[in-house]
Every structure is written in structure tokens, then in C-alpha cells.
Amino acid sequence: MAAATIAAVAIAAGKAGIESTAGAASARAGDDRLAARVPVPAAGAERFLDSVGVVTHLAYFDTTYARWAELVERLRELGVRHLRDEAYANPSPSWDGWNARYRAAVARARRAGMRFLFILGKPGMNPGGGARQLIAAVAGPLRAATEAVEAPNELDHFDGTRGWQNRLYRYTLELARRKRAHNVLARVPLVGPSFARWESPSTVGALSRHIDICNIHPYPGGRVPTPARIALEIARMRPVCGGVRRVWATEAGYHNALAARGASQPAVSEEQAAAFLPALLLEHFRSGIERTYIYELVDQLPEPGRRDPELHYGLLRSDLSRKPAFVAVRNLLRTVARAARARSLPVRKAAIRADPGVRALLIVPRGRGRSLLALWRSAPYYPRAVSTVTVQLQGASGTASVVDPRESTTGRPVATRDGRLVVEVGDHPLLVVAPGAGG
């Protein structure tokens, strides 16, 4: 499936008429032997904006998530409308108050224009209700807030006892069967189960006839993900997903627990996360991942020692102050949205000349608007601190704007000559907002 997914991206790029040209002007600095052809696929601005989600834990009432009303406002500021969270539907009368509080929180997000991917419990581990109750909830009181449902999350990690594979398989089939029984869920996709251990998907069995979207958790190990690593993540899910073409990354991100020891994911500083996370979102999208849910919205509790990774994945600190990564993702989304609303004819073809590790994506509005060329580096090592990139924006004339999303949405003006300009890309993405086609 990985090969098919990556191939589909390449075919789409070819249909869009995007090209990489060796005839572009040589880089003004550096060893020209390092310059190589880099394909620049095109994608719709609306599709990219729709590709970003965030993981929340709104029912963690004894954590920072108790400040849910304020967090919804932060989500509105961030510009993300896709949330991933657990569904709860315990029918016991002792849960009535808890359920009411949970559903009120869901409704608040829904009124703010947000929709949920709801995780539907785990076999034998469902204090929030079993498969029957959870499907009934997303078909009933939670339906207006539901855009997708998900099979168990990382059961190999949270259970992992003998026979977990069979329990997961049977539970996923039960979810699929019960979902089909509700007409109101006919257009709600079922996302497959996720796994923590690399080898786990090969032990479960094929679910491709029962799920609509393949589920991966491609945590990047404290680096910007590479296309090869993403292809491997998708390929390891073949035994479960088979020919399912749609892929969502329902968790991915970075933690800032710099004093953690023995963590499964290396820590990065808050500043590094601000450089890496926009690149992760761009690389996932370019590599064919339809949606990525950032893990997670907010640090759940204060932990000044920074020893527990689980308490430092947030885009926000536990006092709701914005980390640099929150600002960078917000500015990325705002820049794409603002460019798409501009009154001009968009550039629809582009070419670059750059080092092999430079990645590029031309983000094009559906109708009128300004296109945006995103540039970032994905290779783990570089022979120099920056890569010089020669950009050709076909049909453009006038002044482009080069935006660093870590800092703002206001770019540095750069004059183009026959649509050509040169930029230097370091350890964080740059966004080249193209002038209108034809001037």
C-alpha cells in the first residue's frame, strides 16, 4: 500500500503539470554538485487546511482539560477544526452527571465549528461503555459532533496480555457490524486500530473489508520525518489495512521533557518543536497522509522537572500559555488561508533546484487567490547549515513574500525576476507566497 500511496502522489503531481527543472539558475552559493532535481507536486489549499487535527482529552476533568471553555478558544485561534478524543457512554445512573458534563464539553466544541474523530473504547477495558453503547452514542447524542470513529487505540500497549490480537480483531468487527446497522452512520468512516509496537500489525489479521481508513502513529523520533520513514510506517500496516487507500496519522508529535530518561521518543526543545512540527505536517501531507492529528493540545499537568514525556507533548503549557510550536502551526495555517483568499490569479506551476534533502509543495487555491510554495528539509544530515534553493514560479511577476511561520504571518518581500527568486532554507520551513500569475 505504501508504494501505491506514494505513486498516487507522484501521478497527481504529474497531472498538475508541476515540474522540476535542471535548467533553472544555479544556486548563488555552495557546491553545485549538491544541487539536484526536486519534484514539486501541487495540492489544494483547502485540502491542506483540512489535513490538520489535534488530539484532546476533554474528559480528563482533573487536569488542565478542565479549562475546556478556554481551550476551545485556543483551538479557534489555532485554526484547527478536527479533534480526536474518546467517546463515553456508560449507561449506569451513577455516570449521569459525568456524561452530562462530557456531552456539554463536546457540544461546546461543536458550536465552535469543530468535529470529532471518536475512539470507541477497548475490548474488556471500557468503563465508558461497550461497543453497543458507544456506537449508539455516536449515532445519537454525539452524532452532530462526529465526523469519524476509530477502532481501539494501541491495544498492544494498553493490554498486551495473551490473546490481545484476537480480542482486537473481534472487537473491530463488532464495531463495523454495529455501525452498519445505523443508517445515520453510513457516511461516517471507521478508522482502523493503531499500534504501539512495530511488529504488532503483522500479528492481527486483515481488516481491510471492515475499515475505511488506515491508521498510523508515525512519531518521528525527535526529527523531521523523511519520506522513506513514512513509507515504512504505511507499509508495516499492510497486513491489517490491505488495499485501503486512505491513511490518517491519528497521533504524531514531539515532547519537551528534556530531563526524561529512557523515553521511547527523544525530547526536543520547545524551539526545536516549533521548527519540526510544521515540517511534519507538510511532509505527511506531501507523502499522501490525508490527515494528521497532532499529539496533543495542552500539557495535562504542571511538571517543572520535565521528566515525564506524557506531560509535555502539548502545543500549550499547563497554564495555557502558547508554546512556540503552537505559534508556528497557527501561522502556517493562517498564511495558507490568507493566501487562498487573495484576489489574484494563482501560480499553478513551479520548479526548484536544490539539495536532495530539500522538500517542496506548491499549495494552490481552488479558484482565485495566491499560491504558496512551502520549502523544508527532511534529510537528517546536511553538508551545510542552510540549503540555497532557486525557485521558478511560472507566469509570476512582481514581489513574493517569504514567511517564517515561527515568527509571524508577515513575510519578507523578495522581488522576482521572470518569476525566479533564491531563498535559503535552514532547519525550519519557509513559505514563499507567490505573486499573482501575470503580475
Side-chain angles (χ1 to χ4, degrees):
M1 186 184 69
T5 303
I6 303 302
V9 176
I11 291 169
K15 288 180 178 177
I18 305 306
E19 61 185 15
S20 173
T21 179
S26 297
R28 66 185 179 189
D31 185 351
D32 191 57
R33 290 173 298 174
L34 294 174
R37 287 176 175 247
V38 179
V40 184
E46 295 79 8
R47 281 185 55 227
F48 176 73
L49 293 171
D50 199 49
S51 77
V52 182
V54 178
V55 176
T56 60
H57 295 100
L58 62 84
Y60 287 14
F61 298 137
D62 57 349
T63 73
T64 309
Y65 283 98
R67 300 172 66 178
W68 184 243
E70 296 167 85
L71 288 171
V72 168
E73 293 308 307
R74 285 284 195 266
L75 284 164
R76 292 172 65 128
E77 176 189 344
L78 185 63
V80 170
R81 58 182 181 271
H82 304 295
L83 310 182
R84 175 185 185 250
D85 213 312
E86 295 267 0
Y88 295 90
N90 190 313
S92 169
S94 64
W95 276 65
D96 286 352
W98 196 97
N99 286 336
R101 183 177 179 182
Y102 166 76
R103 290 174 184 173
V106 170
R108 180 182 289 274
R110 179 182 58 78
R111 289 193 299 271
M114 299 160 199
R115 298 295 181 269
F116 287 85
L117 164 61
F118 282 119
I119 307 167
L120 301 181
K122 300 178 180 70
M125 305 172 64
N126 287 348
R132 181 173 62 83
Q133 291 88 8
L134 292 169
I135 288 291
V138 295
L142 299 179
R143 179 62 187 92
T146 303
E147 64 174 345
V149 293
E150 181 180 341
N153 175 61
E154 296 186 355
L155 191 67
D156 57 337
H157 170 68
F158 290 104
D159 181 349
T161 58
R162 184 180 179 87
W164 70 265
Q165 297 95 332
N166 188 44
R167 291 191 293 276
L168 173 63
Y169 189 88
R170 289 184 300 171
Y171 188 80
T172 303
L173 264 58
E174 182 184 1
L175 291 175
R177 176 176 59 82
R178 291 188 180 279
K179 188 179 87 69
R180 288 194 299 269
H182 290 269
N183 291 335
V184 295
L185 298 178
R187 296 187 179 182
V188 174
L190 174 60
V191 181
S194 60
F195 302 92
R197 294 196 291 270
W198 186 263
E199 71 281 2
S200 290
S202 65
T203 68
V204 171
L207 289 167
S208 57
R209 290 174 36 207
H210 308 283
I211 63 174
D212 304 296
I213 299 173
C214 191
N215 189 352
I216 61 175
H217 283 183
Y219 285 93
R223 295 181 176 180
V224 174
T226 64
R229 176 57 188 265
I230 294 171
L232 283 174
E233 288 277 0
I234 296 172
R236 82 180 181 105
M237 292 299 297
R238 276 199 194 116
V240 172
C241 297
V244 175
R245 304 275 305 192
R246 299 174 67 188
V247 180
W248 285 8
T250 62
E251 289 185 19
Y254 303 91
H255 73 81
N256 314 126
L258 297 177
R261 296 291 180 266
S264 60
Q265 293 293 317
V268 302
S269 69
E270 290 186 358
E271 291 72 24
Q272 286 175 311
F276 293 171
L277 192 52
L280 179 148
L281 295 172
L282 290 162
E283 187 61 66
H284 280 195
F285 184 70
R286 191 189 189 280
S287 294
I289 297 175
E290 185 178 307
R291 182 170 298 160
T292 297
Y293 289 85
I294 300 167
Y295 193 90
E296 66 177 306
L297 176 59
V298 63
D299 291 348
Q300 297 175 25
L301 295 169
E303 202 258 328
R306 297 199 175 198
R307 295 183 179 88
D308 186 348
E310 289 299 321
L311 297 179
H312 295 281
Y313 272 100
L315 294 172
L316 301 166
R317 303 181 187 94
S318 60
D319 63 358
L320 304 196
S321 59
R322 303 164 185 84
K323 293 185 185 180
F326 178 97
V327 174
V329 172
R330 179 196 67 192
N331 290 346
L332 168 65
L333 299 178
R334 284 184 177 179
T335 302
V336 172
R338 187 172 298 168
R341 292 195 300 267
R343 294 185 176 181
S344 62
L345 293 175
V347 168
R348 297 193 180 277
K349 294 185 178 182
I352 71 169
R353 185 175 175 86
D355 295 343
V358 173
R359 302 282 284 167
L361 178 67
L362 186 67
I363 301 176
V364 183
R366 181 181 292 117
R368 297 181 69 87
R370 297 180 71 178
S371 295
L372 181 151
L373 179 67
L375 298 166
W376 69 98
R377 304 199 302 181
S378 70
Y381 303 106
Y382 302 93
R384 46 193 168 180
V386 297
S387 296
T388 303
V389 183
T390 301
V391 175
Q392 181 70 53
L393 302 168
Q394 185 172 319
S397 63
T399 301
S401 178
V402 179
V403 176
D404 181 348
R406 301 172 307 165
E407 298 177 357
S408 72
T409 57
T410 302
R412 169 175 55 90
V414 177
T416 65
R417 184 174 181 179
D418 298 324
R420 183 175 299 168
L421 69 153
V422 177
V423 295
E424 292 189 335
V425 180
D427 65 354
H428 58 275
L430 291 178
L431 311 175
V432 180
V433 182

